[in-house]
Structure formats: structure tokens, C-alpha cells
Amino acid sequence: MKVTVIGYGMAGSRLAAELRARKADVKVTVLGAEPHRAYNRIMLSNLLAGKVGEADVEITEAAGHGVDVRPGTAVVSIDREARTVTTDCGEVHPYDHLVLATGGEAIIPDVFTPRGQGVPHVAATASATPRSGVELPERVAVFRTLDDCRRILAVAESARTAIVLGGGLLGLEAARGLTARGLSVRVVHAVDRLMNRQIDTGASGVLTRTLAGLGIECVLDAATESVESTPDGITVRLADGRALDADLLVLACGVRAETGLARAAGLRTNRGVLVDDAMRTDDPAISAIGDCAEHDGVTGGLVAPAWEQARVVAARLTGEDPDAVYRPPAVVTRLKATGIDLAAMGTLDGPEELTFADPARGTYARLVIDGERLTGAIMLGDNPAIGTVIQLFDRGTPVPSDRRALLLGRALGAAPVTVAESPALMPDAATVCQCNNVSKGALVRCWRSGARSIGDVVAATRATTGCGTCGDAVRGIVDWLSSVDSPASEVVA
């Protein structure tokens, strides 16, 4: 079988790796428009902050074992009748099955005024376009790709101030990365609270105060009317008349699914490419995964669902599990920035809600409980119960009768709650790596199978290769295993 994958991002590269690992009679060709090897987009904020280098964000090459990877090769058309795709250099690649992993495209707000015009452009409230064909001013950059990151860093070398347009997850990570570079940063957000898709007003208030303490000013409920390029930098004009100046402007205004190829080929699309539970489009010879796919009315944006989708498609194409279906995993959103610990999950509406806020300490907790199950939560700040809350949400186990222990990190008058003082006390079913759905039991089994270092465990289980927030937990378990597992002893799990 010939499988062609369009897109060499986190979804496309994972699918290629899944197909290669199964060593089935499948020849895979991966065509990626970006000129780079696949890289971990989630780690770009750490690259921006200077915590890692470009080599550290690369994803292990998926080539080999029947996988032909071709970066810098953009697909311009799909011929469904002939079952071929054509690239920008005229190459024609046949397929028995085609997988679209084209990802998403950054949205550019329609607020740019050409330099030299005296009257700023006033954009319609919801007017925005994808970045295709949009030429940005010299000191303006989107924060989406590795090349975007390079552009931001190039401008930041001579900048002292920066504005980040967009107060969502990506915008806040960009802002924190730039402050780590020594820049004075403002976040301008059109909505009245930060991360409005994940957290509530109370959490936003505490988060705003925390960011201020880290040197980031948040300008909320502030619609941007225009952006002007000036000899001295960039001027952002707000609807209320204020004008904000900066040396650098970073756009983090959202992403929309890249569906151009699919639409041109006559596939059904909405916000994304429409797929069923098997990740198939309305053409049974074409699947779609990752940010470009729309399953049950939901488009992508997070890595855990994309990787699960890749697993389902690989299982079906290789015959390992012809009936595999995609079931969206429980997703926990984490803000990964130095000085901020934030986790948000599930729905914020339910019959039982509990909230605790301590703005002075940068702490906020909200729990939503339905039928003794945790259906949603926001945990911000230093709360030792955060691991317990995530496990309760992930596993759907009953919450403890003393809800205060989860809200406060301890019951009144009691010692702090801990998830487990030792990995030995952690249940095997506990999920350690949310992105790759790796449990503590899987790490133990990997060790017992011969892994003897953190590198071996990561290679075998892929733990830590997503957002990276589970790194300390995985290292802790490996250290524990190395201390208790010997020829004369058995690991007790």
C-alpha cells in the first residue's frame, strides 16, 4: 500500500512514525511545505525564552523503514480520480491512501495601515484573514512556526519593548518568552479576560496580577483598530483612542484549519476537513488528522488529540486494528511559563462548583463536580493538589468527601495534600504524560523490559515529548526505579 501524507508537522510526523513502528507492508511518502525537519511546536516558547536551542525542538526523524520524508515540498493539488498529488515543483505522487495533516494557519487581524498613510484603517470587529499573501511590516511577526520564531528573535536583538496581540495560551507564552529576553512586554487582548476559552474571570484576574509581577502588563477589553509602521517601530491604536508604541509586535490572534487543498479537491469542509470516527473524509481513500481535521464539530489545536488520531489511522491502514475509532482524550491545558503554574480542564458549568482565590499569593482554584466526578477545573498557582485534580479528571474517579483539600491543597488544620510521597505509592493507572497518554505502569513495564536510562524510557514510551510538563515526574519515576530495581529485588508497583 502506498500512503502519502501531506504535512510534516507534529501530526504528520507522528503518523509516519506510527506506520514505521508497525513495519507493515506500507510505503509512506511525507510531503512537508516547511523546509525543516519536523519540530515540536509546543516547545517554541522555550526557544523564544532561550531555554533551548533549535536542535532541542526537533522531532526524531521519521524516515527509514519504508518512509520517504521530503521537507520543503508543498502540495498544490489533489486528483482524487487518479489518486495522485502534485507538488509545487511539478512532481506527481500516487497514493492508495492519502492523509491530510496540513495543520492550521495563523490568523492575521485586518488592522495594518500602510506606512505613510495619514488615516488609520478601521477594521471590522471580526475581520481577520489567514497569513497567506499578507506582507507584514519589518518589526511585526506571527508566533506560529520555527521561521516565525527566528524572525521574532532577530528583531528582539535590537528591541527593548514589545507588544503581543492576543491574550490566549500562545500569546502569554510568547510574552513570557520575551520577558526572559529582557524586553518590556504588553499583552493586548480584545476580550475582558485572558485565556477566555479556558479560564473564568476570577482566574484571569489572578493571572493578570501574576503576570504584572513578572513584568508583563495586560491591556484587556481593548479592540485594536490599526497597526502602523513608523520610523521608530510600531504603533498600535486601540478603539478607545489610546496609542501604544513598541519596537516589536508579535501576533498571536488564533489559528484556523488549513483546508484549501481539501476544498479545492471537493472534500467536505466546515471549520476544518470533516471526518468520521475513523478520521476518514467523505472520500474513503483520504483521511485527515491534526489541526486541519474537524471531528464531531471540534477542530484541533492541542497535541494529544492529534497524536491519538494518528494512532487510529495507523492502526487501520496497517490492519493492526481495522475497527479502530477515535475517541477524544480528556485534555488538560497547561500554561508553560517560568513563574506560572496553570492547568485548565473540562467544562466550567455543573451542579456543584467550588472556588477559592488568593490573589496576593497568585492562587486560584475552581472545581466543577457532577455526580461525584470532577468534570472541570482551573488550578492556578502553587497548589500541591494539582496533580491529584488532574488525575481525578483524567480517570473519572470519585472526588474525596473533603473538597477543601483539593481547593486549598490541604484540609483546614491539616497537612498539605500530596499526590504520592513516593512513586511506589502512585497507582499504575495514573497518567504521567497527558500528551502521549503514558501511565506510571507503562513506565514501569518499559523499565522491566530493559530500559535503563531516561533516554531509553522516553524513546520507548514517548513520554515528555509533547509539552514537556511531565519531565520532572518521569525523571522522578526513573530515579525511583533505578534505586529499587536490582537483580535481587522486584519493583513493587
Side-chain angles (χ1 to χ4, degrees), residues 209-291:
R209 181 167 177 165
T210 298
L211 290 169
L214 297 172
I216 301 171
E217 177 188 354
C218 295
V219 184
L220 303 178
D221 201 12
T224 300
E225 281 199 345
S226 68
V227 174
E228 302 171 17
S229 180
T230 70
D232 298 323
I234 297 294
T235 297
V236 176
R237 296 192 181 277
L238 305 181
D240 61 11
R242 283 180 291 175
L244 308 179
D245 297 322
D247 302 318
L248 166 65
L249 174 64
V250 175
L251 305 178
C253 304
V255 176
R256 67 175 51 144
E258 176 51 71
T259 60
L261 275 175
R263 288 198 312 272
L267 297 173
R268 292 181 60 220
T269 64
N270 185 30
R271 289 186 299 136
V273 183
L274 296 175
V275 295
D276 61 15
D277 288 350
M279 303 311 297
R280 294 172 303 201
T281 68
D282 53 319
D283 183 335
I286 303 178
S287 299
I289 62 174
D291 288 358

Side-chain angles (χ1 to χ4, degrees), residues 60 128 143 396:
T60 302
F143 185 42

Side-chain angles (χ1 to χ4, degrees), residues 246-409:
D247 302 318
L248 166 65
L249 174 64
V250 175
L251 305 178
C253 304
V255 176
R256 67 175 51 144
E258 176 51 71
T259 60
L261 275 175
R263 288 198 312 272
L267 297 173
R268 292 181 60 220
T269 64
N270 185 30
R271 289 186 299 136
V273 183
L274 296 175
V275 295
D276 61 15
D277 288 350
M279 303 311 297
R280 294 172 303 201
T281 68
D282 53 319
D283 183 335
I286 303 178
S287 299
I289 62 174
D291 288 358
C292 72
E294 180 177 341
H295 173 266
D296 198 20
V298 178
T299 51
L302 297 172
V303 68
W307 284 351
E308 174 61 14
Q309 291 167 4
R311 186 198 66 79
V312 169
V313 172
R316 279 182 164 265
L317 292 180
T318 59
E320 177 187 76
D321 184 357
D323 299 317
V325 294
Y326 171 67
R327 293 290 178 261
V331 174
V332 179
T333 301
R334 301 296 298 265
L335 176 56
K336 310 167 299 301
T338 303
I340 306 171
D341 192 359
L342 170 65
M345 62 209 82
T347 177
L348 296 182
D349 294 315
E352 182 182 354
E353 297 184 18
L354 302 93
T355 305
F356 171 77
D358 186 351
R361 295 181 179 272
T363 301
Y364 182 89
R366 178 176 177 180
L367 307 177
V368 180
I369 301 169
D370 189 350
E372 295 303 306
R373 299 297 192 272
L374 187 69
T375 57
I378 302 171
M379 305 293 286
L380 172 61
D382 184 15
N383 187 325
I386 188 169
T388 299
V389 169
I390 292 175
Q391 290 300 325
L392 289 171
F393 173 74
D394 181 65
R395 297 168 61 193
T397 50
V399 297
S401 57
D402 186 358
R403 319 293 208 233
R404 297 170 301 180
L406 297 178
L407 277 178
L408 308 178

